[in-house]
Amino acid sequence: MFMVAGRMIGHSFLHGGPCLQGLRPAVVHVLLGGSPETATITLEDCPDLDIRETIRLLEGGSILSDKDKQSVQDLAYAWDLPFLTENNRRWLFEKMLIHAVIGRVTRQIKQLRRGLKETPMWTLMTQRPDTVALLFPKDVAGNFGAEVLLQRITCPREDDSDDEDCSTETKCRMSGYLRQFITNATPTELANLVKFWTGWEVLPQSLSVEVIEGRYPTASTCFETLRIPGHYKDYTSFKHDILACICTCHTGFGLV
C-alpha cells in the first residue's frame, strides 16, 4: 500500500497536484537514505500521544515515581529495550524516541521509497536535494499571505449559470465579504480556510467560489470550490459563520 502511495506522491507532484504536507523532517531524512541515528528527532515528532508522554518522563533529571517507572519499563520491554537505570536514562530516552518515530514505521518508509523510485522524482531528489522541500512541504500556516490566496481565487461572474438564482449585487456582496475576511484573517485562519476549502493544507493553483441558496458556507473539496449562501446582509454575521465552519476542517476533510 505504501509503495503505491510513493508512486502517487511522485506522479502527483509531476502533474501539478498536491504534495505530501506535514511529513516530519526525521522521516524524510530516513526516507532519502539517511540513518535514524543521525536524524534530528523531537518529542513532537512522535504521533502517538500516550507514547510521547511516557517517553517525556525520561527527559530531564526529575525523580520518577514508581508508577512512572513502571510505565517506562512496560514500554521498554515491549520494544526489547533494557531496564531503566540511573546510568542509561538519557540513552534509553534517545533509543525509545528513535523507535517511536522511525523504528515502528521502518517497513512503511522502505515501501514509500520503493514507490518513489518508480517515478522520475527519485532521480530529481537525489540529484537536486533542494527539491525535497517542494515535494514534502512543511506546515503551511503562515507560509502564504492574503495577497497570494486572493490571486488564486476565481469569484463568481455575472454569466455563471450555476448561480443564476443570485443577483449580481448578491454575488458582489459575498465576494466582498470573502475578500475582507481573507485580508484581515490570521495565518492560522487562512490555513484553516484553505483546508476547509480543499481538504488539504497545500494551497492549490486555483480556487473557485459559488454563491448559492443555503444556511452555512460549505465546500466541495474535490473541486476546490467554496459555496457561500447569499443571504448575508452584513459582514459580522458572515464572519461569524465562516469562522465556525472553517473550524470543522480538522474533521470530515473540510466538509460541513
Side-chain angles (χ1 to χ4, degrees):
M1 181 177 68
F2 283 88
M3 187 168 65
V4 175
R7 296 180 195 145
M8 293 171 63
I9 292 168
H11 287 298
S12 177
F13 180 85
L14 293 172
H15 293 280
C19 302
L20 181 59
Q21 187 271 339
L23 201 61
R24 306 304 295 184
V27 176
V28 175
H29 172 79
V30 176
L31 177 64
L32 297 178
S35 169
E37 302 294 335
T38 60
T40 302
I41 305 176
T42 66
L43 278 171
E44 285 66 32
D45 293 334
C46 181
D48 190 307
L49 297 181
D50 292 333
I51 291 177
R52 181 192 301 180
E53 292 308 311
T54 301
I55 298 175
R56 193 189 300 276
L57 296 172
L58 296 173
E59 193 175 28
S62 60
I63 299 176
L64 302 182
S65 65
D66 292 339
K67 181 180 179 181
D68 291 341
K69 289 180 180 178
Q70 188 61 49
S71 297
V72 171
Q73 198 54 57
D74 290 344
L75 188 59
Y77 279 152
W79 291 348
D80 294 325
L81 291 171
F83 186 82
L84 171 65
T85 66
E86 294 182 2
N87 297 326
N88 73 351
R89 178 168 178 163
R90 183 63 191 179
W91 176 88
L92 188 60
F93 169 79
E94 294 176 353
K95 288 297 182 181
M96 294 180 78
L97 189 57
I98 291 174
H99 186 76
V101 178
I102 303 297
R104 302 175 74 206
V105 293
T106 298
R107 181 179 300 178
Q108 290 86 341
I109 292 175
K110 290 180 178 179
Q111 292 179 359
L112 200 63
R113 186 189 300 131
R114 287 179 58 189
L116 280 170
K117 285 184 176 180
E118 295 182 11
T119 72
M121 277 307 301
W122 183 259
T123 302
L124 179 62
M125 287 190 299
T126 53
Q127 295 181 356
R128 291 285 305 276
D130 56 309
T131 61
V132 175
L134 299 177
L135 184 62
F136 302 111
K138 297 180 181 179
D139 189 0
V140 299
N143 285 357
F144 61 85
E147 290 296 329
V148 175
L149 180 56
L150 289 170
Q151 289 173 3
R152 303 194 183 186
I153 296 176
T154 302
C155 291
R157 303 185 304 269
E158 294 183 21
D159 56 348
D160 283 345
S161 58
D162 293 339
D163 333 313
E164 57 185 6
D165 293 335
C166 297
S167 65
T168 302
E169 180 184 355
T170 300
K171 296 177 185 178
C172 292
R173 187 172 65 254
M174 296 304 104
S175 298
Y177 288 163
L178 179 62
R179 176 178 291 273
Q180 184 177 350
F181 174 79
I182 292 174
T183 301
N184 298 315
T186 65
T188 300
E189 290 170 348
L190 288 179
N192 285 342
L193 175 62
V194 170
K195 191 172 181 180
F196 174 82
W197 202 323
T198 66
W200 195 250
E201 295 178 337
V202 177
L203 187 64
Q205 292 299 315
S206 62
L207 296 160
S208 300
V209 177
E210 292 180 0
V211 180
I212 62 168
E213 292 185 0
R215 179 64 186 90
Y216 297 106
T218 59
S220 178
T221 55
C222 293
F223 297 99
E224 297 170 343
T225 300
L226 179 66
R227 296 191 171 100
I228 303 175
H231 64 76
Y232 296 104
K233 302 299 182 183
D234 61 88
Y235 174 71
T236 301
S237 58
F238 172 85
K239 180 181 178 181
H240 176 273
D241 284 357
I242 197 71
L243 282 175
C245 289
I246 65 176
C247 286
T248 67
C249 71
H250 301 292
T251 57
F253 299 96
L255 289 175
V256 174

